[in-house]
Amino acid sequence: MSGKSMIFAGIYLNWEVISDLEWLLEIIPKAIGVCFVDATHWKNSSANMVIWTDASLKLGMAFVYAGNGFAYQIKPNNTTVKIDIFFLELLAILSAIFH
């Protein structure tokens, strides 16, 4: 924290940060830990195609490949159904592959 001089002093957390931390606390024990390949590190130059993807629970999803970027906005969800971020991340990956 900028300007903080007492390393063990508490800091103020607003409602949004607390909500995000509670979500993280709830989702981590349920996480399935998906691994698609055995190798975890390689150079981009070794790949046939490099795709970057990302998803958000509130904003949407996007993917970038071959110098092109695609973004899709999520419509507001007015139901009580909770959407899993891992589902949205997988949807972003599959959308990039399908595209």
Side-chain angles (χ1 to χ4, degrees):
M1 300 261 109
S2 177
K4 190 172 176 181
S5 59
M6 297 175 55
I7 61 172
F8 295 109
I11 58 170
Y12 173 77
L13 298 177
N14 64 26
W15 181 87
E16 189 172 353
V17 171
I18 292 170
S19 176
D20 288 346
L21 291 173
E22 288 174 344
W23 170 85
L24 185 63
L25 181 66
E26 180 184 334
I27 201 71
I28 285 178
K30 299 175 188 174
I32 58 175
V34 177
C35 183
F36 292 103
V37 293
D38 292 331
T40 57
H41 294 86
W42 59 85
K43 294 180 182 178
N44 287 352
S45 60
S46 301
N48 294 333
M49 177 183 273
V50 177
I51 301 172
W52 296 87
T53 64
D54 196 15
S56 166
L57 286 170
K58 296 178 182 176
L59 301 176
M61 68 174 186
F63 53 92
V64 177
Y65 72 94
N68 297 303
F70 301 89
Y72 299 93
Q73 184 177 8
I74 291 178
K75 293 182 180 179
N77 183 2
N78 296 328
T79 68
T80 58
V81 176
K82 289 192 174 190
I83 299 174
D84 190 328
I85 188 63
F86 297 107
F87 169 78
L88 294 176
E89 293 286 358
L90 183 57
L91 184 61
I93 293 167
L94 293 174
S95 297
I97 292 170
F98 182 76
H99 194 274

